[in-house]
Every structure is written in structure tokens, then in C-alpha cells.
Amino acid sequence: HNCWCYLLQEGGVVRYSDDGEPQGTAGQPMLNVFQRQEVWNVCCVVTRYFGGVLLGAGGLTRAYTKGAADALTAAGIARMGLWTLWDVPCTYPLLERMKLEVAAAGGVVRDAEYGADITLRTAFPAGTAETFQLRLTELSAGSLAMTAAGEEFLPGPREEAN
């Protein structure tokens, strides 16, 4: 049996399937795992190969609930938020240091363009890039300045599920 559930925040779409299991023993308990954690924009499939009648209704519910909870724990939770994108010029000798500085400021390096020098495409949670700009000025003695490259909704750092 492949029992599934999904929750989509846009439009409040919530669906599940027991895939032939006794009603209410699979899809709904899986859905409850995500609703209790207030997790949206997720899809979960739990496959049962063995047990059925031997487990009984209570055992099935516990098995599907545990499968969904284990998947959530393994995947973790990432909160979506507005991130600003920046192009950061960088010399080759500063590359590794620059990567560390971006991470220390809460940003991520998404891409790098290599040429005579390097341009790093970075992303910072909205409102946090200014801290990095000050550090960039300090590291380069004022010779490097980052330029805005837009903004996107991106997942933040992975959090442990409770």
C-alpha cells in the first residue's frame, strides 16, 4: 500500500489517501503529523509491504504516523522567506575567505562566475546583506562593492522537527 498526504499553503489544499487500508488508519494520521508541526508545502508517501491484518487498525495508524514523523525528522523543516541576491566581486586570493565571510554573515554562495576575477552570486536573508557589505569593504580596503541582483523567496536553514 502506498498511502500519501499533501498540504499546500496556497489555496489551503489538503489531501490524503488510505490506498485500501481501513478508513482513517493511514492518510489522515500522516496528515496530522504535518498539521501538528504547522508544516505546509509538503508531500509524503509511506509504503507498507507487510503487516496488514496482523497489525490491526491501531497498529496501522501507529505505523503510518511513525513513518510520516520519521520522514519529517529526517528531512527537517525550512521556513521560506525573502532573500536578497547580490553579485560580489572577488579576487582569487580572497575566494575561500570570502566564502567563509558570506556564511558568517548568514548568507549563502549560490554560484560563481570565473574570469580574470570571480563574481560570486550570493543570497542573504532580507535586511542582512548590509552587515556583509561592511565586512567586504574592510576585507578589500574599500576596493570591492557588491551589487544588487534581485530578490527571491527561498528556504532558510534546515531546522529540526520537534
Side-chain angles (χ1 to χ4, degrees):
H1 295 267
N2 296 303
C3 300
W4 51 266
C5 69
Y6 63 88
L7 298 88
L8 303 177
Q9 191 165 21
E10 189 172 319
V13 178
V14 176
R15 302 283 186 271
Y16 64 90
S17 168
D18 290 324
D19 189 35
E21 298 287 20
Q23 185 175 359
T25 62
Q28 184 65 50
M30 291 167 53
L31 189 67
N32 292 340
V33 168
F34 298 103
Q35 288 175 324
R36 277 193 301 272
Q37 294 289 329
E38 297 180 5
V39 174
W40 289 92
N41 301 325
V42 65
C43 175
C44 180
V45 177
V46 175
T47 301
R48 181 184 63 78
Y49 293 101
F50 177 79
V53 176
L54 297 175
L55 292 174
L60 285 171
T61 300
R62 284 188 295 278
Y64 283 105
T65 298
K66 183 172 179 356
D70 288 350
L72 181 57
T73 298
I77 298 170
R79 302 203 186 277
M80 297 295 288
L82 184 62
W83 289 60
T84 55
L85 305 178
W86 298 87
D87 287 332
V88 179
C90 175
T91 61
Y92 282 91
L94 276 180
L95 177 60
E96 293 307 315
R97 179 65 184 263
M98 199 67 71
K99 288 179 183 178
L100 292 172
E101 294 291 342
V102 168
V108 294
V109 175
R110 297 190 60 196
D111 196 13
E113 185 178 301
Y114 298 92
D117 283 322
I118 304 165
T119 301
L120 300 175
R121 171 62 56 97
T122 61
F124 291 91
T128 64
E130 292 74 20
T131 303
F132 177 74
Q133 175 62 54
L134 295 174
R135 187 69 182 129
L136 178 63
T137 301
E138 184 180 309
L139 279 172
S140 69
S143 65
L144 299 176
M146 56 191 209
T147 56
E151 56 188 23
E152 286 183 27
F153 277 96
L154 299 170
R158 181 183 176 276
E159 303 169 12
E160 298 294 322
N162 295 333

